[in-house]
């Protein structure tokens, strides 16, 4: 995909706008960092990938017991008869 854009001035910096379609192709979001390099007179932008957070099983299960208790306490309310104008 080739896109034409204009270099403009913002404050003391030169700014280039990257269209959303290119960001999506690069898997980059606003706020992500890019590595900029010049190769053979061409600007090459590469996303800097931070390490993907790996969670332990204990971290993933934090709050699971409380959630199970909450679901159990709410199950009684789901089985009762309508008392108002509920849509069933």
């Amino acid at each position: 995909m080739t896109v034409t854009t204009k270099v403009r001035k913002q404050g003391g910096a030169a700014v280039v706008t990257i269209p959303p379609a290119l960001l999506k192709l690069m898997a980059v979001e606003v706020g992500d960092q890019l590595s900029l390099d010049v190769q053979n007179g061409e600007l090459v932008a590469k996303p800097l990938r931070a390490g993907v957070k790996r969670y332990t099983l204990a971290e993933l299960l934090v709050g699971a017991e409380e959630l199970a208790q909450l679901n159990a306490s709410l199950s009684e309310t789901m089985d009762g008869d309508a008392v108002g104008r509920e849509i069933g």
Side-chain angles (χ1 to χ4, degrees):
M1 170 184 229
T2 301
V3 175
T4 303
T5 187
K6 191 176 200 177
V7 179
R8 58 188 173 81
K9 186 173 184 175
Q10 184 172 354
V15 178
V16 175
T17 302
I18 303 173
L22 287 181
L23 291 177
K24 188 173 184 178
L25 286 172
M26 295 174 64
V28 172
E29 296 180 4
V30 173
D32 289 352
Q33 290 187 332
L34 298 175
S35 167
L36 301 178
D37 190 22
V38 177
Q39 297 175 359
N40 298 324
E42 296 180 350
L43 179 64
V44 178
K46 295 180 183 176
L48 291 177
R49 304 276 185 227
V52 176
K53 170 73 171 137
R54 304 284 300 187
Y55 293 94
T56 64
L57 181 58
E59 289 174 319
L60 293 172
L61 293 176
V62 168
E65 291 179 21
E66 291 84 1
L67 187 59
Q69 291 173 356
L70 178 62
N71 286 336
S73 68
L74 290 176
S75 67
E76 296 171 4
T77 62
M78 302 302 282
D79 297 333
D81 293 328
V83 291
R85 299 174 70 168
E86 293 91 347
I87 298 175

